[in-house]
Amino acid sequence: MTIDPSARIHPMAVVEPGAVIGAGVEVGPFAVIGAEVTLAAGVVVKSHAVVTGWTDVGEDTVIFPFACVGEVPQDLKFKGERTRLIVGARCRIREGATLNTGTEGGGGVTRIGDDCLLMTGAHVGHDASMGNRVILANQAAIAGHCQIGDDVIVGGLSGVHQWVRVGRGAIIGAVTMVTNDVLPHGLVQGPRGVLDGLNLVGLKRRGVERSEITALRAGYQMLAQGEGSFVDRARRLSEETESAHVREMTDFILSASDRSFLTPK
């Protein structure tokens, strides 16, 4: 066990031998820190939270009561292999959230980026990868093997099916089931996850130039109404566009995927 002298560990907390506790870390009463856990400087683990498994937690992340971070996957194929969870810096993991380690068959690592907010009851499954500044609202669930890009927002009570990719800057409305890949900057809503336009509010909030937003809107219309198949339209748009944001969208479509795409209405 390695505990920095500046760390504050409540006498009613359990820190197992082997854990690495960085400078300024705070661990509250009845919290449990497992033997293979590393808490970077400034991490706060509040009362009754559990951090276990082979788990690294980045600087200044806060884990709230009754969150369970680093438990084994909810996968019947998991046979106890040593797999990992990596949580980035400055994340907020709220009450009752659950984050699982990876599986051998899925690459062995579940990864959460920096500055993410996982609200009450949110779940991130095995081998999933989340980018930076992702927000999972209350009770949102990300299934195994999903890839969630930077700046994605997933609304409350929504679920993302295993293996689905959600592109950068997309937004998923509340009470939505997403079973297919979501384009970067897409807007998805409805019980069965219909692609219903672009996340224009998010683009403006992030300061994307008006010319890029105009190009994205035109590109979206071409994908929705152009000639040929969806992939054919994406390939043609990729060849014609000079917009970095449109190219990001077409590259996403033309890359390999285990799921089909939500297509524009």
Side-chain angles (χ1 to χ4, degrees), residues 161 175-180 188-195 262:
H161 192 283
V175 198
T176 297
M177 181 63 210
V178 181
T179 58
N180 300 96
V188 175
Q189 56 188 351
R192 297 304 298 179
V194 176
L195 184 62
L262 291 176

Side-chain angles (χ1 to χ4, degrees), residues 41-43 57-62 87-93 113-117 132-133:
V43 168
V57 180
E59 293 183 357
D60 298 320
T61 285
V62 181
V87 178
R90 299 174 303 280
C91 292
R92 297 294 181 266
I93 301 172
D114 298 336
D115 300 297
C116 294
L117 170 59
N132 302 319
R133 300 174 301 278

Side-chain angles (χ1 to χ4, degrees), residues 14-43:
V14 175
V15 180
E16 297 181 2
V20 177
I21 310 297
V25 167
E26 298 180 25
V27 180
F30 308 106
V32 177
I33 309 299
E36 293 188 288
V37 170
T38 298
L39 303 180
V43 168

Side-chain angles (χ1 to χ4, degrees), residues 3-238:
I3 300 179
D4 188 275
S6 64
R8 292 186 289 176
I9 313 296
H10 194 280
M12 297 299 288
V14 175
V15 180
E16 297 181 2
V20 177
I21 310 297
V25 167
E26 298 180 25
V27 180
F30 308 106
V32 177
I33 309 299
E36 293 188 288
V37 170
T38 298
L39 303 180
V43 168
V44 176
V45 181
K46 297 195 174 188
S47 65
H48 296 88
V50 174
V51 187
T52 187
W54 182 13
T55 297
D56 295 348
V57 180
E59 293 183 357
D60 298 320
T61 285
V62 181
I63 301 173
F64 285 75
F66 303 103
C68 186
V69 176
E71 261 296 359
V72 298
Q74 299 177 93
D75 184 343
L76 294 176
K77 299 185 295 299
F78 181 73
K79 302 302 180 185
E81 58 266 26
R82 187 169 180 264
T83 57
R84 192 175 186 186
L85 168 67
I86 300 174
V87 178
R90 299 174 303 280
C91 292
R92 297 294 181 266
I93 301 172
R94 296 303 304 248
E95 297 84 351
T98 56
L99 290 75
N100 296 155
T101 58
T103 63
E104 186 176 42
V109 180
T110 304
R111 191 180 302 270
I112 310 296
D114 298 336
D115 300 297
C116 294
L117 170 59
L118 281 65
M119 296 187 192
T120 301
H123 171 69
V124 180
H126 59 85
D127 307 296
S129 175
M130 278 177 37
N132 302 319
R133 300 174 301 278
V134 172
I135 297 174
L136 303 184
N138 298 323
Q139 310 298 326
I142 306 299
H145 311 284
C146 289
Q147 298 177 37
I148 311 297
D150 293 345
D151 300 303
V152 167
I153 299 175
V154 181
L157 296 169
S158 294
V160 180
H161 192 283
Q162 64 181 359
W163 298 105
V164 161
R165 300 179 303 152
V166 180
R168 180 171 75 98
I171 185 168
I172 296 168
V175 198
T176 297
M177 181 63 210
V178 181
T179 58
N180 300 96
D181 288 354
V182 178
L183 300 180
H185 315 293
L187 166 64
V188 175
Q189 56 188 351
R192 297 304 298 179
V194 176
L195 184 62
D196 198 21
L198 295 170
N199 182 14
L200 297 175
V201 172
L203 289 163
K204 293 173 183 177
R205 285 177 176 172
R206 291 193 297 276
V208 176
E209 294 182 2
R210 183 182 296 273
S211 61
E212 284 290 309
I213 294 176
T214 300
L216 270 172
R217 297 179 75 168
Y220 183 89
Q221 288 301 315
M222 179 175 175
L223 289 171
Q225 301 174 359
E227 296 181 357
S229 70
F230 181 65
V231 172
D232 289 340
R233 296 195 294 268
R235 188 173 291 111
R236 187 165 61 252
L237 179 59
S238 176

